[in-house]
Amino acid sequence: MAYDYAKYLRAGKIPHIWCPGCGYGIIMKSIIRAVDGLGMNKDDLVFTSGIGCASRLPGYIDANTLHTTHGRSLGFATGVKMAKPELNVIALGGDGDMTAIGGNHFIHACRRNIDITCLVFNNYIYGMTGGQYSPTTPKAARATTSPYGNSDNQFDIAQLAIGAGASFVARSTTYHAVPMEKLIKQAIEHKGFSVVEIIAGCPTGYGRKNKLASPAGMIEWQKANSVNKVQWDKMTAEEQAGKFPIGVLHQEEKPEFIEAYDANVGLS
Amino acid sequence: MAKEVKFLQGNEAVCEGALYAGCTFYAGYPITPSTEVAEILAARLPKVGGRFVQMEDEIAAMAATLGGSIAGRKSLTATSGPGMSLKMENLGYGYLTEVPCVIVNVMRGGPSTGLPTGPGQSDIMQAKWGTHGDHPAVALTPSTVQEQLEETVRAFNISEKYRIPVILLTDEIIGHMREAVNMPEPGDLEVVDRKRPTCDPKDYLPYKPEADGVAPMADFGSGYRYHITGLNHLEDGFPSNDGKLAQADEIRQEKKITDHYDEIVVVDEMDTDDAEILVFAFGSTARSAKEAIKMARAEGIKVGLFRPLTIWPFPDKHLQKYKNKVKRIIVPEMNLGMAILEVKRVMEGTVPSIEGINQIDSEPITTITILNKIKEGK
């Protein structure tokens, strides 16, 4: 029997705003299966988001949902979590939202290691505003604001998160819908700040300008260029060139922020 | 029984007021001259079951303050100067989404880094017009350390009652001065908590106002699952592009404050019954003005003090009583002329002379300066 997504969706809010061929619907379905698979109570589930295509997702989910300002979802999420640590807080946003305008909040949430699950939808472009280059747009790629090719350097979001101190970091793609669901589950279950970077296609904003206009072609590209972490570690630098690792990239046990705070100040 | 009297710093009194009002969450970022609020609450909040966090910047501090309130805690942040500028983005979010909280702005000189350790009153207009878009605003201007405490409680009450961020607009002089404060005991001051829904969660509409223009607000995690967005939204909280409905909702938000002018606007009027000259002064400047008026009265000059404790909404109704009655209004303020613009708007054509005393040299406007101005027209 087909999986019933309706129980986690708000009645009457679909169709969503995403373009045909956008990868974000695949991510939403993986998120729903993950939270359902963990048996999470919708009353205790909070989604926060910033601004952009990805950030419209919480509006579709039947939970406590907070669509905030551009890049600021982690700030709001921190307030919610500190006020009520018993809530499960998932903060999400796109590559521009989380790593450009929200970059400072992102690295500090990683450093703080607060028990929030952060999902970064990386489609290499500012989609909602029509295709401007973002901190993850590949070098030389075309965007409306890089008509001669992108001169800027790329962020590796997962590496950024690891460097900043996140205690769980994983990467997936929209090709890997089932493994993605499992990684999201692991991220939610992890105590501390967890990041899952999810590579997704934006045929409208990115693909059309970069000879990748077919949604299926973009997913094929994800399949062809992603390498499981175990395999990745065995590859030479030459073999790794142009590809990226997926799976759990980093996991460590370290004190969670609110638990540490409560213990310090005598609240626990 | 005699009340407990404490010798408190102004910023310390804000903390006492916040705790009295039931604040249990503070998110902030260090900035002079407001930092003591953060330092004191970092120590005090855990003792009442509250939490404190120092965020990575002022933007995140404002965001976390709103997040804490959305999850049901009375939340506070304090800042100054450039910090207040950075708060504006999420402050606008707080207005549109109607999230109660209190923002303390200990005014210093500016713009930019300006004169960080000295007083200013140049954020009067920012407190009303600082963020983009139309919205109601409430800002309170205490003049004494006692009022720092009491007006902080009132700021929380207004924010909770009307679901609106409220600015406590104080300044470096009052923030850093020390005075004796009569400590209120529980029950002495009113403490208001926000209306929360009692309906069946499936019937809850987070922006459907009751008769007072304010909708009950559910805490996240209380079983009322709903959506909050900074997009213009309908009564169910979901975004809408319908401009007519957006306009109607923003007018409703404006009216929830203007309709309650009498409950929100407080003005202290001294020696005004027979006054021919009115001194309109707020915050620390009102202290010098009060003294100047006493001295002028001793010389037989009919002068009175008009001291708003609520600067926004502007005290139009209180001020209008003096139309065609006083001959002069003097507006001393530590800026190059801000509140005076509002005084002129309200009193236009009904007072022969409206004069400013303006000073932005990081020094208080003295009693003598104001007294000399009062006597100038004699």
Side-chain angles (χ1 to χ4, degrees), chain A residues 10 13 41-48 56 58-60 62-70 72 74-85 87 101 104-106 108-109 111-112 257-258 261-262 265-267, chain B residues 25 41-42 45-57 59-73 89-90 93-94 97 219-231 236 238-239:
Chain A
R10 286 182 163 128
K13 299 302 167 193
N41 183 343
K42 293 191 276 190
D43 287 339
D44 301 331
L45 185 57
V46 177
F47 281 89
T48 71
R56 294 300 283 266
Y60 307 125
D62 184 15
N64 305 277
T65 57
L66 186 57
H67 177 223
T68 75
T69 45
H70 199 13
R72 319 298 178 210
L74 286 168
F76 284 84
T78 300
V80 170
K81 186 73 182 174
M82 289 198 73
K84 274 195 179 168
L87 298 179
I101 193 163
N104 197 34
H105 313 308
F106 181 74
H108 286 277
R111 173 183 63 80
R112 203 170 280 131
F257 172 68
I258 298 176
Y261 174 86
D262 284 358
V265 302
L267 272 178
Chain B
F25 184 59
L41 287 177
L45 277 172
K47 301 197 187 306
V48 296
R51 291 192 179 90
F52 166 95
V53 63
Q54 184 172 308
M55 295 298 286
E56 55 274 14
D57 59 31
I59 298 168
M62 189 69 236
T65 301
L66 292 167
S69 179
I70 287 165
R73 288 182 186 246
E89 177 199 37
N90 286 329
Y93 184 89
T97 57
D219 303 349
F220 266 23
S222 66
Y224 291 84
R225 298 189 302 272
Y226 68 107
H227 189 56
I228 302 178
T229 177
L231 287 160
D236 63 6
F238 291 97

Side-chain angles (χ1 to χ4, degrees), chain B residues 54-101:
Chain B
Q54 184 172 308
M55 295 298 286
E56 55 274 14
D57 59 31
E58 296 277 7
I59 298 168
M62 189 69 236
T65 301
L66 292 167
S69 179
I70 287 165
R73 288 182 186 246
K74 288 187 182 178
S75 302
L76 179 76
T77 188
T79 189
S80 184
M84 196 62 192
S85 297
L86 287 168
K87 295 248 189 266
M88 286 299 156
E89 177 199 37
N90 286 329
L91 182 57
Y93 184 89
Y95 287 129
L96 190 75
T97 57
E98 299 179 73
V99 177
C101 64

Side-chain angles (χ1 to χ4, degrees), chain B residues 10 34 49 59 75 112 151 187 197 235 256 273 309 322 334 342 362:
Chain B
S34 75
I59 298 168
S75 302
S112 190
E151 291 301 290
E235 287 181 345
K256 78 178 177 183
D273 289 346
L309 279 114
Y322 302 98
M334 289 184 283
E342 286 292 300
S362 211

